């Protein structure tokens, strides 16, 4: 408990500062004063985000033999959202303060007065979270459509297409990663709750009656995925939804929660959606989306187990959990102990002296030798101590330093991020070293 409290002192502010300073995340359209709760991922952020998505795809699709992939459109026929229940039910109950005009979600309020100024509050009213836009160039003929608030519906409406082309039998799943949009009212906590975000969703179709077994399977698999990529177990927990918390489509739901700097919060939801979506789409589209079971000779709507994670929340969890500080020779050292598979830059090649052409040439040759499979950088823009600090702070697992001795003995120093251990190896062996230590799938 004591440790947890100490770690909670790594505040969101510190993380946000690091993200801006080092190029992980910027506020969207910052030069115009920004726009509420939309974020841009910079040179390092895009690498970390991509690595998270690649690891998810690997574990959900490549490591299994019962999942297909999909990349559906963000805009869909608006009937989709009537069928899914999002037009009718995807809303927050809100109320406003009559004095300071601030707006609050009913479920976030404790008393019956404004938490900011103590003013009187209005009656609650329902506010739909979907963004609306219009498709078509002629105003009168244009059609109202929505930006998808979850990627899942793209999977349900393609259920039959995927079943036919893949010739799958139950149980099988469809995985998708993509942007979703919600006109969130209470945003904040950096990238935790934004209006434009990315989801990694799997819809896993099973025979009714097999759903509880598969539900338990996915709870375990998804929790373990975070641990396998370095999140400490004490920072994770599973929490079952109370009946009144359940989304309109869910029969049962657990959140994988992470101890974020602002406290325990949802990282991923795992829901049993039962046959809600396929049945609804059949009803509204008129297309029969039942599955024909050739063994039993029966047709039925499959049940769906859905692990649904947020890329941005995973990003924040991996980053905050990896954030470490220690005192080394009376100096504070900050480093990101990221799993090597997630680290944005895998290796930095550093010349000890940038005004010695032979050293620069040797360092650049090593960089050229090892680049290609992952991001490798050459950096000569500061003294070596500062270069190490920079790479530590962005989580680079290895620094390779070329010094004056390298020119005579042909050896370079490889420094490991977490332990700061240094070892001298032949320059010609650096490629092999990286292959052995970084070629983690
Ligand atoms: N298809 C099910 C679904 O969308 P959800 O619990 O609303 O369920 C799933 O969202 C995940 O998407 C969440 O656990 C979270 O990681 C991410 N997410 C949802 N809303 C978000 C937001 N406004 N900003 C960032 N991530 C969000």
């Amino acid at each position: 408990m004591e440790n947890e409290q100490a770690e909670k002192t790594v505040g969101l502010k510190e993380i946000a500062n690091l993200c801006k300073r080092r190029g992980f995340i910027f506020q969207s359209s910052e030069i115009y004063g920004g726009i509420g709760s939309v974020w841009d991922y910079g040179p390092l952020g895009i690498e970390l985000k991509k690595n998270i998505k690649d690891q998810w795809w690997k574990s959900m699709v490549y490591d299994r033999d019962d999942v297909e992939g999909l990349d559906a459109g963000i805009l869909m026929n608006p009937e989709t959202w009537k069928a899914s229940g999002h037009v009718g039910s995807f809303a927050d109950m809100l109320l406003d303060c009559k004095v300071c005009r601030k707006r609050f979600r009913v479920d976030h309020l404790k008393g019956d007065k404004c938490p900011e100024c103590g003013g009187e509050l209005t009656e609650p009213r329902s506010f739909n979270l979907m963004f609306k836009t219009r498709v078509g160039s002629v105003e009168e003929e244009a059609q109202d459509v929505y930006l998808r608030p979850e990627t899942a519906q793209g999977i349900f409406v393609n259920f039959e297409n995927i079943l036919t082309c893949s010739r799958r039998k139950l149980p099988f799943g469809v995985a998708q990663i993509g942007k979703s949009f919600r006109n969130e009212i209470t945003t904040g906590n950096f990238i935790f709750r934004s209006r434009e975000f990315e989801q990694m969703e799997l819809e896993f179709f099973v025979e009714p009656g097999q759903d509880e077994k598969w539900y338990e399977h996915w709870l375990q698999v998804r929790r373990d995925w975070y641990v396998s990529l370095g999140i400490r177990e004490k920072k994770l927990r599973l929490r079952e939804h109370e009946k009144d918390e359940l989304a309109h489509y869910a029969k049962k739901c657990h959140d994988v929660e992470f101890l974020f700097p602002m406290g325990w919060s949802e990282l991923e939801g795992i829901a049993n959606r039962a046959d809600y979506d396929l049945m609804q789409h059949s009803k509204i589209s008129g297309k029969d989306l039942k599955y024909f079971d050739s063994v039993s000779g029966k047709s039925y709507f499959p049940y769906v187990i859905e692990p649904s994670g947020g890329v941005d929340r995973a990003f924040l969890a991996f980053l905050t959990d990896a954030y470490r500080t220690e005192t080394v020779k009376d100096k504070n050292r900050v480093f990101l102990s990221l799993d090597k598979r997630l680290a944005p830059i895998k290796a930095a090649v550093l010349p000890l002296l940038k005004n010695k052409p032979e050293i620069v040439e040797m360092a650049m040759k090593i960089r050229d030798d090892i680049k290609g499979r992952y991001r490798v950088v050459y950096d000569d823009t500061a003294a070596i101590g500062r270069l190490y600090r920079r790479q530590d702070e962005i989580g680079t697992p290895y620094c390779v330093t070329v010094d004056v001795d390298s020119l005579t003995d042909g050896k370079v120093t490889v420094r490991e991020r977490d332990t700061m251990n240094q070892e001298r190896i032949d320059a010609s062996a650096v490629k092999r070293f990286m292959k052995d230590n970084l070629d983690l799938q």
Side-chain angles (χ1 to χ4, degrees), residues 347-388:
V349 186
L350 316 170
L352 197 71
L353 299 170
K354 70 167 172 185
N355 50 9
K356 218 158 167 46
E358 304 94 305
I359 291 185
V360 168
E361 193 187 328
M362 190 170 173
M364 285 186 168
K365 183 170 177 318
I366 292 173
R367 188 264 324 266
D368 290 344
D369 249 15
I370 57 177
K371 74 178 188 204
R373 278 184 63 78
Y374 24 66
R375 191 110 166 86
V376 174
V377 295
Y378 166 90
D379 192 359
D380 65 6
T381 58
I384 193 71
R386 186 178 281 225
L387 293 179
Y388 280 151

Side-chain angles (χ1 to χ4, degrees), residues 149-150 152 182 184 191-194 197 199 201 249 266-269 273 306 308-310 313:
E150 61 170 10
R182 294 181 191 178
E184 298 279 4
I191 54 170
F192 179 81
R193 192 184 309 283
S194 39
F197 54 97
Q199 290 185 308
E201 299 203 295
Y249 49 74
E266 175 186 347
L267 182 55
E268 165 159 352
R273 294 180 80 126
E306 175 195 65
S308 170
R313 285 192 194 174

Side-chain angles (χ1 to χ4, degrees), residues 37 86 90 149-153 156 180-184 186-187 190-201 203 226 241 247 249 253 255-256 260 266-271 273 306-314:
S37 291
H86 283 82
F90 194 56
E150 61 170 10
T151 64
Q153 297 304 324
F156 297 128
S180 290
F181 302 82
R182 294 181 191 178
N183 197 1
E184 298 279 4
T186 46
T187 52
F190 194 30
I191 54 170
F192 179 81
R193 192 184 309 283
S194 39
R195 295 200 166 96
E196 177 177 341
F197 54 97
E198 255 182 300
Q199 290 185 308
M200 309 181 278
E201 299 203 295
E203 307 305 319
Y226 292 101
H241 279 208
Y249 49 74
C253 185
D255 285 343
V256 179
F260 285 99
E266 175 186 347
L267 182 55
E268 165 159 352
I270 294 142
R273 294 180 80 126
E306 175 195 65
S308 170
V311 180
D312 314 77
R313 285 192 194 174

Side-chain angles (χ1 to χ4, degrees), residues 282-343:
S282 286
K283 212 188 298 173
I284 305 290
S285 70
K287 187 128 183 115
D288 184 2
L289 297 178
K290 282 203 202 80
Y291 171 80
F292 175 69
D293 187 331
S294 55
V295 178
S296 67
K298 288 187 187 143
S299 289
Y300 52 80
F301 289 112
Y303 271 32
V304 174
I305 308 300
E306 175 195 65
S308 170
V311 180
D312 314 77
R313 285 192 194 174
F315 188 111
L316 191 57
F318 285 123
L319 207 63
T320 48
D321 194 47
Y323 189 94
R324 307 283 155 82
T325 56
E326 63 182 15
T327 308
V328 181
K329 292 190 192 139
D330 292 337
K331 282 206 177 118
N332 191 34
R333 180 172 93 105
V334 173
F335 64 106
L336 288 185
S337 182
L338 282 171
D339 185 282
K340 290 174 199 169
R341 291 164 292 182
L342 299 181

Side-chain angles (χ1 to χ4, degrees), residues 406-425:
S406 309
L407 300 177
T408 48
D409 67 7
K411 288 183 189 295
V412 294
T413 303
V414 179
R415 173 185 180 272
E416 200 271 336
R417 175 196 65 203
D418 292 9
T419 57
M420 293 190 295
N421 281 344
Q422 302 197 355
E423 100 180 83
R424 292 286 283 180
I425 64 170

Side-chain angles (χ1 to χ4, degrees), residues 49-300:
K49 209 177 183 199
K50 181 178 170 301
N51 294 340
I52 292 170
K53 291 190 279 186
D54 285 350
Q55 285 303 318
W56 186 88
W57 197 261
K58 178 181 169 332
S59 87
M60 300 301 253
V61 184
Y62 298 165
D63 287 349
R64 305 182 61 98
D65 55 12
D66 54 3
V67 174
E68 301 287 345
L70 178 74
D71 182 18
I74 285 171
L75 301 176
M76 301 178 73
N77 186 305
E79 291 299 296
T80 308
W81 306 107
K82 284 187 198 153
S84 68
H86 283 82
V87 170
S89 309
F90 194 56
D92 280 342
M93 292 303 285
L94 300 181
L95 29 75
D96 298 294
C97 173
K98 290 182 181 169
V99 181
C100 70
R101 306 266 168 224
K102 287 243 165 71
R103 184 164 280 180
F104 305 96
R105 265 168 63 169
V106 173
D107 58 338
H108 285 182
L109 278 180
K110 291 215 166 68
D112 57 1
K113 294 279 180 224
C114 171
E116 299 278 325
C117 74
E120 197 186 330
L121 298 167
T122 60
E123 285 301 309
R125 57 207 166 78
S126 168
F127 182 88
N128 194 288
L129 297 179
M130 284 195 293
F131 279 107
K132 233 185 221 176
T133 186
R134 287 173 79 73
V135 167
S137 52
V138 184
E139 190 59 25
E140 311 80 69
E141 289 171 17
Q143 187 185 25
D144 278 342
V145 297
Y146 300 98
L147 303 188
R148 67 180 178 199
E150 61 170 10
T151 64
Q153 297 304 324
I155 297 178
F156 297 128
V157 299
N158 276 296
F159 174 69
E160 201 182 62
N161 286 334
I162 295 171
L163 191 61
T164 309
C165 72
S166 68
R167 286 166 288 134
R168 287 277 181 187
K169 300 265 178 267
L170 294 186
F172 77 95
V174 181
Q176 176 165 222
I177 301 178
K179 287 259 169 135
S180 290
F181 302 82
R182 294 181 191 178
N183 197 1
E184 298 279 4
I185 309 309
T186 46
T187 52
N189 288 331
F190 194 30
I191 54 170
F192 179 81
R193 192 184 309 283
S194 39
R195 295 200 166 96
E196 177 177 341
F197 54 97
E198 255 182 300
Q199 290 185 308
M200 309 181 278
E201 299 203 295
L202 176 78
E203 307 305 319
F204 199 76
F205 301 95
V206 304
E207 188 185 339
Q210 299 290 310
D211 50 318
E212 291 190 6
K213 181 184 95 185
W214 281 105
Y215 186 80
E216 293 304 319
H217 168 85
W218 284 111
L219 284 188
Q220 192 65 40
V221 169
R222 292 307 305 148
R223 186 191 163 282
D224 291 352
W225 183 75
Y226 292 101
V227 175
S228 76
L229 285 170
I231 300 261
R232 288 165 292 179
E233 302 213 25
K234 63 178 180 181
K235 296 280 201 98
L236 285 175
R237 71 179 187 196
L238 286 170
R239 187 185 67 81
E240 184 166 5
H241 279 208
E242 303 288 340
K243 282 269 171 290
D244 61 356
E245 267 184 281
L246 286 174
H248 61 274
Y249 49 74
K251 177 179 157 191
K252 194 171 177 178
C253 185
H254 273 79
D255 285 343
V256 179
E257 292 192 330
F258 175 75
L259 187 59
F260 285 99
M262 66 283 186
W264 287 101
S265 309
E266 175 186 347
L267 182 55
E268 165 159 352
I270 294 142
N272 183 345
R273 294 180 80 126
D275 53 6
Y276 176 85
D277 300 272
L278 289 180
M279 203 190 273
Q280 281 294 107
H281 286 303
S282 286
K283 212 188 298 173
I284 305 290
S285 70
K287 187 128 183 115
D288 184 2
L289 297 178
K290 282 203 202 80
Y291 171 80
F292 175 69
D293 187 331
S294 55
V295 178
S296 67
K298 288 187 187 143
S299 289
Y300 52 80

